[in-house]
Amino acid sequence: MELLFEYVLRIETFLLIFVVVVLKSSIIFVPQNRAYLIERFGKYQSTREAGLNFIVPFIDRIAADRSLKEQAVDVPEQSAITKDNISLKVDGVLYFRVLDPYKATYGVDDYIFAVTQLAQTTMRSELGKMELDKTFEERDQLNTNIVSAINEASGPWGIQVMRYEIKDIVPPHSVMEAMEAQMKAERVKRAQILESEGDRQAAINRAEGEKASVVLAAEAEKSEQVLRAEGEAKAILAVAEAQAEALRLVGEAANTEQGQKAIQLDLATKAIAAKQAIAKESSVVLLPESGTDAASMVAQAMTIITGIKGNKGA
């Protein structure tokens, strides 16, 4: 009886272990952004995505585990020849993702190796269509062309290339020296052009400055002449007004008895001075009969003044 009980216990233990193993084999947990491809008896059965999944134990098996994340693969350095027959060494980085796990598994043996080789051959082909200078100037366009060509060829593999970036383009040493010489010549040329432009602008600025200086000097001279003319006019006007005022004062003084005496004295003095000046200049002096002395001349002057006064009174 004890042997029977022990035998039954062993069978129950074995069945329990078997059930646990079966349950563990039938339950699979697929991580996020991954896909499991299930085969049944060696034939594709289904693709299981993220989450809890069940399979038939001992019949179904996980044939492939594919990542659905974007992947970056380094493209090894390789030689390429440009359109103008220049040999280059180029390397890059390829970014892609698996869109169809079934095609990536059954459409190609190793999709990473296949897409890398395709990137290399496509890059050589695209570089052969461009000249050396264009490879540096139009690198973005080159990357776009490579991505487009790879996507067209990798469609049956369930692969989508997101972008391709060229890391480095290394031309031969002789070409590098020629490019450096060309760049140096271009820099010298630009420097000379900038210097000549600077000299031209400086000459223009100097000419404009001289022109402005001449204009300002002319305007200053014009203003000075105007001011001088106005000053002279005012001076002449002031002198004329002063002379008029002096004549008016002399005339008012001449109307008085004292003024007439002063005039007689002044005329006599001037007559005597005139005779002395004539005597100094010549040894012979001719005088009119009526003007033999200063008194007669003074009398004549007074007669003229009296006549002028009479006319004013009339």
Side-chain angles (χ1 to χ4, degrees):
M1 191 67 181
E2 292 180 0
L3 292 176
L4 180 61
F5 179 75
E6 184 178 354
Y7 179 73
V8 172
L9 182 61
R10 288 180 180 180
I11 291 175
E12 290 178 353
T13 303
F14 176 76
L15 290 174
L16 180 60
I17 294 174
F18 178 76
V19 170
V20 171
V21 172
V22 169
L23 289 176
K24 184 177 180 181
S25 301
S26 63
I27 298 174
I28 58 174
F29 295 94
V30 181
Q32 185 67 32
N33 283 334
R34 301 192 76 86
Y36 288 175
L37 278 76
I38 306 302
E39 290 182 353
R40 179 173 294 174
F41 299 115
K43 183 179 180 181
Y44 171 77
Q45 194 271 333
S46 63
T47 299
R48 305 299 175 86
E49 297 181 353
L52 176 63
N53 292 271
F54 297 92
I55 62 175
V56 179
F58 309 111
I59 298 177
D60 296 342
R61 73 178 186 91
I62 300 174
D65 177 9
R66 298 296 179 224
S67 174
L68 304 180
K69 299 177 182 178
E70 183 174 343
Q71 303 178 51
V73 177
D74 184 61
V75 179
E77 184 180 80
Q78 61 177 330
S79 297
I81 300 178
T82 62
K83 186 178 180 180
D84 49 354
N85 297 322
I86 302 298
S87 178
L88 302 176
K89 291 184 178 180
V90 187
D91 59 352
V93 180
L94 184 65
Y95 299 87
F96 67 93
R97 58 178 300 186
V98 176
L99 294 181
D100 191 339
Y102 175 82
K103 292 182 179 179
T105 303
Y106 299 102
V108 64
D109 184 40
D110 186 348
Y111 66 90
I112 295 179
F113 176 78
V115 76
T116 302
Q117 294 299 313
L118 182 60
Q120 288 183 320
T121 56
T122 304
M123 182 168 57
R124 283 196 297 267
S125 176
E126 291 296 328
L127 285 173
K129 301 176 184 178
M130 304 176 66
E131 296 181 353
L132 177 62
D133 294 339
K134 296 297 182 180
T135 59
F136 296 99
E137 298 173 2
E138 301 180 2
R139 183 173 294 189
D140 293 338
Q141 183 63 37
L142 179 60
N143 294 337
T144 302
N145 294 340
I146 293 174
V147 169
S148 178
I150 295 175
N151 281 329
E152 184 177 355
S154 64
W157 303 339
I159 305 298
Q160 181 186 14
V161 177
M162 312 303 293
R163 59 190 179 277
Y164 180 85
E165 298 293 340
I166 296 177
K167 292 194 299 184
D168 198 10
I169 299 177
V170 182
H173 185 68
S174 59
V175 176
M176 289 289 293
E177 292 179 349
M179 292 174 62
E180 291 178 359
Q182 181 181 0
M183 293 174 61
K184 182 178 180 181
E186 288 292 334
R187 287 194 294 268
V188 172
K189 177 183 175 182
R190 288 196 296 268
Q192 291 176 350
I193 291 175
L194 291 175
E195 184 178 0
S196 63
E197 288 290 336
D199 294 339
R200 185 174 70 88
Q201 190 62 40
I204 292 174
N205 292 338
R206 285 194 297 269
E208 291 180 351
E210 293 175 356
K211 177 182 177 182
S213 176
V214 171
V215 171
L216 292 176
E219 291 179 353
E221 185 178 359
K222 175 183 176 182
S223 300
E224 182 181 359
Q225 292 177 354
V226 170
L227 293 175
R228 186 184 299 113
E230 292 178 353
E232 292 177 355
K234 290 181 180 180
I236 293 172
L237 182 61
V239 171
E241 290 177 353
Q243 291 179 350
E245 181 65 18
L247 291 175
R248 185 182 65 79
L249 293 176
V250 171
E252 290 178 355
N255 289 328
T256 63
E257 182 179 357
Q258 298 294 331
Q260 290 181 2
K261 291 181 179 180
I263 290 173
Q264 292 176 3
L265 177 61
D266 183 63
L267 291 175
T269 303
K270 290 181 178 180
I272 294 170
K275 288 182 178 181
Q276 291 177 352
I278 293 171
K280 289 180 180 180
E281 295 294 333
S282 177
S283 59
V284 178
V285 178
L286 298 178
L287 294 175
E289 295 179 356
S290 59
T292 56
D293 55 7
S296 63
M297 293 180 64
V298 171
Q300 290 178 2
M302 291 303 299
T303 301
I304 293 171
I305 292 172
T306 303
I308 293 170
K309 289 174 63 179
N311 291 333
K312 287 183 178 181

